[in-house]
């Protein structure tokens, strides 16, 4: 039976080690990107958001309003920067609004 060491680790460190060991970073990043979009864009934009998907550094956001899509397309780089700041690392490199 494996012995337990007396080393104390924080919950954050233990979770980080678990995520890295099991290669779950991509899944966590997807969830973080969805949560950041909802938080930063607010209820108004989130109500028109039908789908959010993160693939290979590109965040695909489907919107049900063409007018809103056009308005948001003017500030894509700012949205990407805000989402990455909210997550705490550079996850999103490009934003595509559909």
């Amino acid at each position: 039976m494996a012995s337990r060491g007396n080393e104390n680790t924080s919950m954050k460190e233990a979770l980080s080690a678990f995520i890295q060991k099991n290669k779950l970073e991509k899944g966590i990043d997807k969830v973080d990107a969805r949560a950041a979009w909802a938080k930063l864009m607010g209820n108004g934009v989130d109500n028109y958001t039908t789908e959010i998907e993160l693939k290979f550094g590109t965040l695909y956001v489907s919107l049900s309003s063409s007018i809103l899509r056009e308005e948001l397309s003017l500030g894509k780089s700012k949205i990407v920067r805000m989402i990455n700041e909210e997550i705490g690392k550079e996850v999103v490199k490009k934003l595509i609004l559909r």
Side-chain angles (χ1 to χ4, degrees):
M1 194 172 238
S3 64
R4 296 174 100 179
N6 286 336
E7 57 192 58
N8 293 326
T9 58
S10 69
M11 183 64 85
K12 182 178 180 178
E13 292 170 352
L15 283 174
S16 293
F18 178 79
I19 289 169
Q20 288 178 350
K21 182 180 178 188
N22 293 301
K23 299 177 182 168
L24 300 174
E25 293 95 356
K26 289 181 182 178
I28 298 294
D29 290 344
K30 288 179 182 182
V31 172
D32 288 345
R34 286 185 186 127
W37 174 267
K39 180 180 178 185
L40 293 171
M41 294 296 118
N43 258 353
V45 175
D46 198 36
N47 287 337
Y48 291 102
T49 303
T50 57
E51 186 180 354
I52 302 171
E53 190 171 6
L54 180 65
K55 287 185 182 176
F56 306 111
T58 303
L59 186 65
Y60 296 93
V61 178
S62 298
L63 299 166
S64 59
S65 169
S66 61
I67 296 168
L68 180 61
R69 184 180 323 114
E70 193 63 34
E71 286 289 322
L72 291 176
S73 69
L74 299 174
K76 282 184 181 180
S77 60
K78 183 178 179 182
I79 293 170
V80 168
R81 189 172 58 252
M82 288 170 44
I83 288 174
N84 286 330
E85 286 175 6
E86 180 69 28
I87 294 172
K89 60 182 178 178
E90 188 174 341
V91 174
V92 179
K93 294 176 180 61
K94 186 176 178 184
L95 175 65
I96 295 182
L97 302 169
R98 306 188 244 186

